[in-house]
Amino acid sequence: MIETVAKVGMPVDETLRIRKNRLESTSGGRGKRVSIVTGIHGDELEGQYVCYAVAQRIAEHPEYLKGTVDLYPALNPFGIDSVTRGIPAFDLDMNRIFPGRRDGDMNEFVAAQIIRDLEGSDLCLDIHASNIYLTEVPQIRINEKHADVLVPLAERANVDFIWVHGASTVLESTLAYSLNSRNVPTLVVEMGVGMRITREYGEQLTDGIFRLLCELGVWTGPAPAVRTPVISRDPNEVTFLNAPVSGIFIKTLCHGAQLAPGDEIGQIVDPLRGQLLCRVTAPVSGWLFTVREYPVVDQGSLIARILHTEPEGGDSHGA
Ligand SMILES: [Zn+2]
């Protein structure tokens, strides 16, 4: 059933509506509730496929559903409609205004309505897609403050990587932080790249969602097998590579590649003079879990993130 989560009249005629699709057990019994949200950032579209795929699988076997699944495909519908990351006209990152305020401005009010609607969920997944600049292997990012609750859940979500961040980097104004603080376990998924849909990642995460639904007793159909993710809890395990010069970045390796020291990740070139400005190489052995997708780079632009691994540990981590 399609329900309206928040509705605000715009100055002239238009109406902002945040909607969800509530899928419930047809055989009675309330069961647990799992909420899947996406589209906070209007240029991140990977979650659109996941919402579609989850709804499709439930429609094929509604008899397996023993609880409630709420799908929120577009928390920032104006952003999605206008290919804008933030909230158009306000130049505002929607993921910096939670938990919002009922008596606040339009955006704060919408944020408060979203929190109110999601409260009481037994699990929430907030699906992001990096941005247009970087491509990511499917991963879940967790603040160490909530790691005890979230890591065991994330291990079932069929992602390749779980990245546990230090508490000092916490952003308290995100949706996930607000929900985790309200005892709604919320997993933040990052995968793929902005403005695109990577179907295989959508299917991979959808399998993970159904595995979690099974474990929560919300789904009685077959539980999908899930991969074992790499888990990083040590910030020293991750190396950030930044562009040493400005220019056009041409990717040599794709995300998911295993690296030996010296391997070329890409080149930065000068198209005007036809010159190779620099080769961007791996300083350590490891796993390339983030790589630059957007070719234009300024000095300092992020090119890659590498998770250190031992050179002998050459088994593929996926992607
Ligand atoms: Zn995002």
Side-chain angles (χ1 to χ4, degrees):
M1 184 171 60
I2 308 297
E3 298 179 9
T4 297
V5 174
K7 182 178 168 187
V8 184
M10 304 301 288
V12 182
D13 197 33
E14 299 284 343
T15 302
L16 170 66
R17 252 189 216 91
I18 315 284
R19 298 196 292 177
K20 72 174 181 184
N21 187 0
R22 167 157 284 190
L23 303 166
E24 289 180 291
S25 170
T26 51
S27 57
R30 289 173 55 85
K32 290 188 174 176
R33 168 156 71 112
V34 174
S35 296
I36 297 166
V37 309
T38 193
I40 282 187
H41 292 135
D43 62 350
E44 301 180 10
L45 304 175
E46 302 276 8
Q48 301 301 309
Y49 184 87
V50 177
C51 286
Y52 167 75
V54 169
Q56 284 272 311
R57 287 197 200 182
I58 291 174
E60 282 168 18
H61 287 287
E63 72 277 13
Y64 291 153
L65 186 63
K66 300 299 176 194
T68 301
V69 176
D70 281 338
L71 301 172
Y72 304 68
L75 291 191
N76 175 12
F78 286 174
I80 292 177
D81 285 349
S82 61
V83 204
T84 308
R85 181 174 186 79
I87 299 173
F90 294 87
D91 193 22
L92 186 66
D93 184 336
M94 191 181 188
N95 210 19
R96 299 289 181 272
I97 59 171
F98 290 97
R101 281 170 37 211
R102 298 261 310 147
D103 60 350
D105 72 11
M106 179 186 118
N107 296 309
E108 292 171 314
F109 169 77
V110 166
Q113 291 291 94
I114 289 169
I115 292 286
R116 192 174 77 158
D117 203 79
L118 286 166
E119 272 191 309
S121 299
D122 295 286
L123 175 66
C124 178
L125 281 94
D126 177 17
I127 304 170
H128 291 251
S130 184
N131 52 36
I132 64 168
Y133 301 105
L134 302 164
T135 301
E136 304 274 2
V137 302
Q139 60 196 267
I140 288 175
R141 295 185 186 165
I142 292 173
N143 191 275
E144 68 180 7
K145 188 174 170 182
H146 302 121
D148 290 349
V149 172
L150 298 183
V151 170
L153 292 164
E155 286 179 301
R156 300 283 176 268
N158 204 29
V159 293
D160 295 287
F161 183 37
I162 297 173
W163 192 5
V164 181
H165 284 272
S168 60
T169 60
V170 66
L171 283 167
E172 297 187 359
S173 53
T174 63
L175 175 66
Y177 186 88
S178 289
L179 290 174
N180 279 310
S181 302
R182 286 164 173 72
N183 298 316
V184 177
T186 300
L187 299 172
V188 177
V189 179
E190 290 278 0
M191 64 180 190
V193 64
M195 293 191 181
R196 295 287 181 271
I197 282 177
T198 313
R199 189 174 183 153
E200 62 176 293
Y201 288 170
E203 289 294 332
Q204 178 181 335
L205 183 62
T206 301
D207 281 346
I209 288 169
F210 276 84
R211 177 62 176 260
L212 285 163
L213 293 177
C214 286
E215 300 207 357
L216 292 169
V218 176
W219 188 251
T220 57
V226 292
R227 62 190 70 196
T228 304
V230 176
I231 303 176
S232 173
R233 295 172 178 271
D234 178 358
N236 297 319
E237 288 178 345
V238 177
T239 292
F240 292 65
L241 281 189
N242 299 88
V245 292
S246 301
I248 299 297
F249 176 72
I250 300 170
K251 193 167 69 168
T252 305
L253 292 174
C254 284
H255 59 298
Q258 291 293 336
L259 302 170
D263 282 354
E264 182 180 288
I265 295 167
Q267 301 180 342
I268 299 175
V269 304
D270 174 352
L272 179 63
R273 296 174 183 79
Q275 289 177 346
L276 172 65
L277 299 176
C278 85
R279 294 172 67 239
V280 179
T281 57
V284 293
S285 62
W287 180 41
L288 184 66
F289 69 90
T290 304
V291 74
R292 183 82 182 180
E293 192 65 38
Y294 194 77
V296 180
V297 295
D298 293 313
Q299 185 178 356
S301 295
L302 186 61
I303 297 283
R305 295 190 192 100
I306 301 168
L307 180 73
H308 296 211
T309 53
E310 292 305 313
E312 294 80 15
D315 58 314
S316 171
H317 290 125

